[in-house]
Amino acid sequence: MATSDRLLGYVESRKNLTGSVCGLAGVGIALTGAAGGLWPLVIAGLYAAGALIAPPERPDTPHFPDAGEQLDALRDDFATLRAYLAEVELPSSSRDRLTELDALVEALLEPGWVSDPEHLHVLARAVRQDVPEAVDTFVRTRWWSRVTPGTEPPERHLERQLSALREEMAAIAAALQEAEELRQQTHTRYLEERGH
């Protein structure tokens, strides 16, 4: 199978096509009688010369998802995360912090807001890694703290982690708000200057 794919690839290659065109020119020369008895060598030589001068094959440029495609995938992952979090038993204070974080992430994932790669990376890391790990670690640690009482309650760490994540998301929201305000001010200045 791999051999037939390679053979088919060569048949369609630039080198073969250019060599074939040059080989056909050799057939034309042979038909005129200019090549004499050496016509097979002329055809083969012209084919080889054409194959050698042909530009090399260029591999296709890889396709990487753009910001919109990345956001679509991230929204799907966020829906999966929400389904997971709905099943986890959390203390009310942690649940409140998680609800605030959830609302902020949901707003940031709305189409048309986040396009900066760094912001997108921070959002993806929060949805795909930070929040699931924080909650899972809490669930595991809480089980062990029941077995060995007297240690620091895992709720405190979870609340601190969720607060830190919310601050990170709030920083993205503030940057987006600042960019929109700057855009609005620039447009106002443009309209005012255009009128004069």
Side-chain angles (χ1 to χ4, degrees):
M1 184 71 182
T3 305
S4 64
D5 287 343
R6 272 190 250 141
L7 181 61
L8 184 61
Y10 181 74
V11 168
E12 297 173 343
S13 72
R14 293 179 187 176
K15 290 194 174 291
N16 183 50
L17 295 175
T18 306
S20 296
V21 168
C22 291
L24 284 174
V27 169
I29 292 171
L31 290 176
T32 63
L38 299 175
W39 66 268
L41 290 177
V42 171
I43 294 172
L46 285 174
Y47 174 85
L52 287 173
I53 65 168
E57 290 297 317
R58 196 177 61 234
D60 293 335
T61 304
H63 171 72
F64 297 107
D66 63 10
E69 293 170 323
Q70 290 178 20
L71 274 174
D72 288 342
L74 190 52
R75 280 187 206 99
D76 292 342
D77 293 343
F78 184 55
T80 303
L81 175 64
R82 280 179 151 175
Y84 162 71
L85 294 174
E87 296 178 17
V88 176
E89 181 185 331
L90 295 173
S92 60
S93 58
S94 297
R95 180 63 69 184
D96 292 343
R97 289 210 168 110
L98 189 59
T99 301
E100 291 173 8
L101 177 62
D102 179 86
L104 194 49
V105 171
E106 181 181 27
L108 291 171
L109 288 177
E110 286 294 317
W113 289 116
V114 176
S115 58
D116 181 80
E118 182 60 33
H119 291 164
L120 194 56
H121 171 72
V122 171
L123 269 169
R125 185 181 59 207
V127 168
R128 294 177 177 146
Q129 180 182 345
D130 295 337
V131 173
E133 187 173 331
V135 172
D136 184 60
T137 304
F138 163 75
V139 170
R140 291 170 182 267
T141 307
R142 182 178 61 179
W143 184 85
W144 282 107
S145 66
R146 290 177 184 165
V147 176
T148 56
T151 58
E152 185 177 11
E155 291 85 4
R156 287 188 194 152
H157 285 285
L158 178 61
E159 289 171 15
R160 288 172 49 198
Q161 291 167 1
L162 293 175
S163 294
L165 287 168
R166 189 189 178 293
E167 287 175 20
E168 207 171 31
M169 297 304 113
I172 294 174
L176 291 174
Q177 180 181 2
E178 183 180 326
E180 290 303 316
E181 288 172 355
L182 180 62
R183 182 175 166 217
Q184 185 182 36
Q185 292 167 4
T186 302
H187 190 61
T188 301
R189 239 187 336 265
Y190 164 74
L191 291 175
E192 289 172 350
E193 290 171 0
R194 188 175 73 181
H196 291 108

